[in-house]
Amino acid sequence: MEVKDYLDPAEEKMELAVAYLDEALAHIRAGKANPKILDGIRVDYYGAMSPISNVANISVPDARTITITPWEKAMFKEIEKAIINSELGVMPENNGEIIRISIPPLTEERRKLLVKQSKAEAETAKVSVRNARRDAIDGLKKAVKQGMPEDVEKDAEAKAQKLHDKYLKQIDELFAAKEKEILTV
C-alpha cells in the first residue's frame, strides 16, 4: 500500500468538510439580503417539491430586500406559504406582480444566536476533519503491521497532521468571516 492511498482520501474528506461548512454558513441569515437563504425552501410544483429558484426568478435589488417573480401566477400562494412556514422568520409581501421579502435588521440577541449556530457548524466541520486524520493514521498503523516501514509511516502521519492543520485553519477563517459579517451592524 502507498502512503497516498491513506492521505488522499483523508484530504478529500477534509475538503468536503470545508465545502460543507461554506455552504452551511451561506444559509445563515446575517442581516443582509442573500438569495441563498431561500435555497432550503421547497414549494409544491404540480406534485413535486421544488426549490423556489426552479419556479421563480429571485433577485436582490438592495441590501435589505429579496424579490421573487414567479413564472406562473398559480405559484404566488405556494411560494408565500412555503416562506411563511419556513424558519426564516420573515413575512413576504405580495403585490400581484412580485413577492417582496424585507430582511429586518437583526437584534443583538438574534446576532448572538446566529454566531452560536455558525460556531456549531464550524465545530461539526472540525470534527469531520479530525475524523479524516484519525482514519488516515489508523490505516497507516495497520499498514505498518502489513510491512510498511515505520519511518515512512511516521512521515505520513506528519503529513496527515499538516493537512489537518491546514483545513482547521480554513475552517477558523470561514467562521471568523461569518462572525464578522453577523456582528457588523
Side-chain angles (χ1 to χ4, degrees):
M1 290 293 284
E2 292 277 325
V3 168
K4 68 184 182 87
D5 293 338
Y6 298 103
L7 294 183
D8 288 352
E11 184 170 15
E12 198 174 302
K13 287 178 187 170
M14 292 177 189
E15 280 177 15
L16 285 172
V18 172
Y20 163 80
L21 176 66
D22 195 28
E23 186 66 23
L25 292 180
H27 288 91
I28 295 176
R29 182 166 70 91
K32 288 190 200 78
N34 181 349
K36 278 199 169 198
I37 64 173
L38 299 174
D39 284 356
I41 302 174
R42 304 270 185 242
V43 293
D44 184 11
Y45 185 63
Y46 298 110
M49 296 308 282
S50 305
I52 292 177
S53 59
N54 286 8
V55 298
N57 185 30
I58 300 171
S59 62
V60 182
D62 62 59
R64 295 242 179 252
T65 311
I66 298 174
T67 59
I68 303 166
T69 311
W71 294 325
E72 298 176 27
K73 292 275 186 210
M75 292 310 298
F76 274 101
K77 290 283 179 234
E78 290 293 333
I79 292 172
E80 277 190 309
K81 191 168 73 175
I83 292 169
I84 291 168
N85 293 337
S86 73
E87 296 174 9
L88 277 185
V90 292
M91 205 55 193
E93 302 163 24
N94 173 358
N95 69 3
E97 295 291 314
I98 59 172
I99 298 170
R100 190 180 313 274
I101 300 173
S102 296
I103 307 293
L106 297 171
T107 63
E108 191 63 32
E109 189 177 312
R110 182 80 176 129
R111 287 178 196 279
K112 287 179 181 168
L113 278 172
L114 291 175
V115 168
K116 191 183 280 188
Q117 184 183 348
S118 300
K119 191 169 186 69
E121 293 287 359
E123 204 48 53
T124 302
K126 284 182 178 182
V127 167
S128 297
V129 169
R130 290 183 191 119
N131 287 343
R133 177 192 58 183
R134 187 197 61 227
D135 292 346
I137 290 174
D138 288 350
L140 289 165
K141 286 190 185 334
K142 286 179 185 158
V144 167
K145 291 177 184 166
Q146 296 169 355
M148 180 187 276
E150 277 192 33
D151 58 336
V152 171
E153 183 262 346
K154 288 291 177 207
D155 290 345
E157 266 190 41
K159 285 180 185 168
Q161 185 61 42
K162 278 188 181 140
L163 284 174
H164 167 268
D165 296 344
K166 172 184 153 189
Y167 286 102
L168 280 191
K169 185 172 184 261
Q170 285 182 9
I171 288 170
D172 287 336
E173 287 167 0
L174 281 172
F175 170 69
K178 187 65 177 185
E179 183 179 35
K180 183 179 180 216
E181 181 187 340
I182 291 170
L183 295 176
T184 301
V185 179

